[in-house]
Amino acid sequence: MSRLPARLRPGAPGRGPHKTLGHPLGRALMHAAVVLAVLGACRGSQAVGPAAQPTRTVDPGHVDPAFQGEWDAVQAARQKDPSGMAVVEAADRLLARDPPLNLRLAAQQVKAGASLDRGDYAAALASARAGLDDVTKVRAQGIDLAPPERELAEDLGRTRALAEAEVGDPQTALQAIAAATRGDRGPDLLFATARARDRLGDRAGAALAYAQWREAVPDGSAAAALAEARMREQWRGLDAATLEEAARKAAGTPAAQCLLVRAGRSAPAGAPAWVSGCQVAGAGGPPRIGLLLPRSGKFAGLADVQLAAATAAVRALAGPAGSNLQVAWEDSGSSPAEAKKAAATLLASGASVLVGPVGPGNVEAAAEVAAATGGRVRLVVPGEGTGPQVLGVAPTLEARAAALAQAVGRANRTTAVILAPDNAYGKRAVAAFEKSLPKVGVKSVKTIYYPANTTSFSKVLDPVRSSLKTAAVLIPDQLGRVELVVRQMVRDGVVIDRAKQPGVPVLSTAEGSSPEAIGPGHEVLEGVLVAPVGWETPEAAGFTEAYTALEGSGPPDQAWLVYRAVAQAWAGAEAAPPPAAAVLRVESGRFVATESAVSLTPAERPSGR
């Protein structure tokens, strides 16, 4: 049986719609609630009570003639006023005579229903629990319930769930709701789910449940208006990643589509009209930024970091006073075809700047879509740029290799050992080092390639172990693998060059660097020189704070790339020179400048608005 929440009915105690919505919509809701009835599938016949609300006929099955008079009195009271105290009094008179189980359950359900209808949730919960206690005692004795008794027990469980959501323990309420659901969650249980999650402080879960409630009620109804208002209350301030996670629990439904639209997605074709209303209101004026982020496929490993970075970037750039910055996003997938389709979708939604995607083929596909606009739309990628139409915010690998080579020159080393993964990245880095090192006085270069999945470096170092103590060691690779190399060097007795400890200079491009990767537990990296692709800078403290609040740790290099891409797009995506590479030192678990000439503020810093 489905029941309309008591707060939608006139005269209900507690917080009414006019207090929930302090504007004309609230008054309209209160007026419409007089005639509103939200119906689910109900067993048995129905009589109509006040305010055109259906009154459920509670069927106990066979009635013992000895109790027929008391049961008739209950029925008569319900016909006059389903939620009146006369119903409760008549049911209590029946219960006082200790009737058979079926009549006890029917009487408790009648009492619970009347209390629920008038908003006395505590009384409804007490009656429902009393009836369910009788069921438990009988079942404990190994007695099977008759069909009418089983149905009454189910009704009591549903009523208990509705009341528990309002005044009981919200976690217990969710368990009761789950137990009361038999493949059919009507509007009443959806509303109860939302209330329980709201009381638990689970705003994302409550937003989804209110959206599911909205999906289940008629368009234009007071319940629809209230559901939409409650959704707005719950999702206020929630980031896109949180909304996405909640939407996955109801994938493919209009409720999930609503949350995805709120997170920045475009409403799918054929979605109900109310789903489009879930989007963030746009104010016009500044560029509408379209984010092409990989949420599926081979680049999905970057998804959470990138989406969190985009969310934090918007917060940091908008500032505490707010901004009319508009952002939408689409899954760029893992193939050029998917990236092309996502880019086209964003352009159709009005995006004037695209940020992303990841991967050369995907970037080329998105650039093709942007180029088709005749220069109206530009692409800013969280990586290296490829020309005036595709702006990059990362220093090139060649620029970073050149900066590290200059550091080798400052260390007065004339020999160098390059340890690189045997893949396209490693070979490109080696080529860049071999071009730059001779320019700074390095006369001898020894290169060793290792499989990209190497985890033990003892044998890898065998050919160069005797020469390590006099050379500069360059490792263009992931920072985690660099750490494995350094640990092996230390085990071999090599002293790493540090600020107050002369030794062998170790230098790296340090892909995947993050505060956690150089923090506690990674002290062996102390003194290593790095030229990262992205790093923390003083002018972006707001981004660091926003990202840390979302993720619980500071932003890694990929997050910084997304932030700088969004910042560049926000500044208008005007043409900018390639960002400068910088050489930093790992010191006390953080990056520090290696000399006064190196600023931790990169050249690509955009001018804010």
Side-chain angles (χ1 to χ4, degrees):
M1 181 177 96
S2 287
R3 294 181 181 273
L4 182 68
R7 284 185 304 283
L8 284 179
R9 292 194 291 272
R15 186 177 62 172
H18 58 292
K19 292 186 179 181
T20 301
L21 304 172
H23 49 69
L25 173 59
R27 293 190 291 275
L29 273 175
M30 188 164 58
H31 172 74
V34 175
V35 295
L36 177 67
V38 181
L39 302 179
C42 288
R43 170 179 57 87
S45 62
Q46 296 176 337
V48 178
Q53 300 224 57
T55 300
R56 171 69 187 284
T57 297
V58 178
D59 181 13
H62 173 72
V63 177
D64 186 328
F67 300 92
Q68 187 67 59
E70 285 79 5
W71 177 244
D72 287 343
V74 171
Q75 294 285 64
R78 293 188 76 230
Q79 288 288 338
K80 291 181 181 179
D81 183 0
S83 61
M85 287 303 299
V87 175
V88 176
E89 292 169 357
D92 281 340
R93 286 194 295 272
L94 173 59
L95 289 168
R97 291 197 58 201
D98 192 22
L101 177 63
N102 66 326
L103 286 176
R104 291 205 306 275
L105 299 183
Q108 295 291 9
Q109 173 59 12
V110 165
K111 286 180 59 179
S115 299
L116 194 68
D117 284 346
R118 66 175 181 273
D120 189 352
Y121 301 111
L125 184 57
S127 296
R129 285 175 174 172
L132 292 172
D133 284 344
D134 280 341
V135 171
T136 300
K137 291 175 184 176
V138 169
R139 285 176 171 163
Q141 296 172 17
I143 301 174
D144 291 330
L145 299 180
E149 293 166 347
R150 286 199 299 270
E151 292 189 8
L152 286 167
E154 291 167 4
D155 287 345
L156 284 164
R158 193 179 188 100
T159 302
R160 176 204 170 188
L162 298 176
E164 196 90 57
E166 295 290 342
V167 297
D169 175 72
Q171 192 63 57
T172 301
L174 291 174
Q175 295 170 358
I177 291 168
T181 301
R182 296 189 304 169
D184 163 41
R185 277 200 304 166
D188 53 352
L189 286 182
L190 291 171
F191 181 86
T193 300
R195 285 288 296 140
R197 294 204 174 279
D198 187 355
R199 292 176 60 218
L200 270 176
D202 177 10
R203 292 175 51 220
L208 175 62
Y210 279 125
Q212 291 173 311
W213 183 42
R214 171 62 185 90
E215 180 181 339
V217 299
D219 291 342
S221 67
L226 180 59
E228 291 171 15
R230 290 289 176 83
M231 286 188 301
R232 289 192 289 271
E233 291 175 1
Q234 296 301 321
W235 69 39
R236 186 177 297 121
L238 294 182
D239 60 88
T242 301
L243 291 168
E244 244 200 312
E245 178 64 27
R248 280 196 283 270
K249 298 175 183 177
T253 65
Q257 293 167 355
C258 169
L259 266 60
L260 291 175
V261 167
R262 181 66 188 178
R265 293 264 199 143
S266 302
W274 66 269
V275 170
S276 297
C278 299
Q279 66 185 354
V280 179
R288 178 176 171 84
I289 300 173
L291 298 172
L292 285 164
L293 302 180
R295 302 296 291 169
S296 59
K298 62 184 179 182
F299 297 118
L302 300 174
D304 291 341
V305 167
Q306 290 199 339
L307 189 54
T311 302
V314 171
R315 291 184 181 180
L317 292 168
S323 168
N324 53 2
L325 177 67
Q326 301 177 53
V327 179
W329 72 271
E330 287 291 330
D331 180 4
S332 61
S334 59
S335 70
E338 291 171 322
K340 189 172 184 178
K341 180 180 178 181
T345 299
L346 287 172
L347 292 188
S349 73
S352 54
V353 183
L354 297 179
V355 173
V358 176
N362 292 353
V363 170
E364 185 177 343
E368 181 181 339
V369 174
T373 67
R376 179 179 63 83
V377 174
R378 286 188 175 178
L379 188 66
V380 182
V381 296
E384 299 179 15
T386 60
Q389 193 64 37
V390 181
L391 303 178
V393 296
T396 65
L397 181 57
E398 287 73 17
R400 294 156 65 197
L404 290 172
Q406 291 171 6
V408 173
R410 289 193 293 272
N412 297 317
R413 297 289 170 138
T414 59
T415 61
V417 171
I418 305 175
L419 304 170
D422 190 8
N423 55 23
Y425 170 90
K427 292 175 181 178
R428 180 184 167 192
V430 168
F433 280 128
E434 290 178 342
K435 180 179 179 180
S436 299
L437 288 170
K439 298 178 181 179
V440 297
V442 175
K443 303 184 182 302
S444 173
V445 178
K446 174 66 174 178
T447 299
I448 293 180
Y449 288 106
Y450 51 82
N453 60 352
T454 300
T455 57
S456 175
F457 285 88
S458 180
K459 292 183 179 180
V460 173
L461 293 178
D462 278 346
V464 294
R465 188 169 273 111
S466 60
S467 58
L468 284 180
K469 295 183 180 181
T470 58
V473 179
L474 298 112
I475 315 168
D477 203 345
Q478 292 287 323
L479 187 57
R481 196 167 292 112
V482 173
E483 181 174 347
L484 295 177
V485 176
V486 175
R487 287 188 183 280
Q488 184 60 53
M489 291 174 64
V490 171
R491 281 194 291 268
D492 291 342
V494 177
V495 177
I496 308 301
D497 189 60
R498 298 178 177 177
K500 298 180 179 180
Q501 174 186 286
V504 175
V506 176
L507 309 93
S508 176
T509 50
E511 309 297 350
S513 61
S514 69
E516 289 183 329
I518 62 175
H522 304 280
E523 289 80 5
V524 73
L525 291 173
E526 183 84 2
V528 172
L529 299 176
V530 300
V533 71
W535 61 95
E536 183 172 5
T537 55
E539 93 290 351
F543 170 69
T544 301
E545 181 179 350
Y547 185 92
T548 303
L550 285 173
E551 297 294 285
S553 59
D557 56 0
Q558 293 299 313
W560 280 107
L561 292 181
V562 172
Y563 165 72
R564 301 202 190 288
V566 173
Q568 182 68 52
W570 185 53
E574 299 171 355
V583 176
L584 315 174
R585 178 188 291 110
V586 179
E587 188 173 299
S588 300
R590 60 191 181 93
F591 289 145
V592 300
T594 54
E595 56 179 337
S596 58
V598 176
S599 172
L600 290 185
T601 302
E604 73 270 22
R605 175 184 176 183
S607 57
R609 290 187 177 181

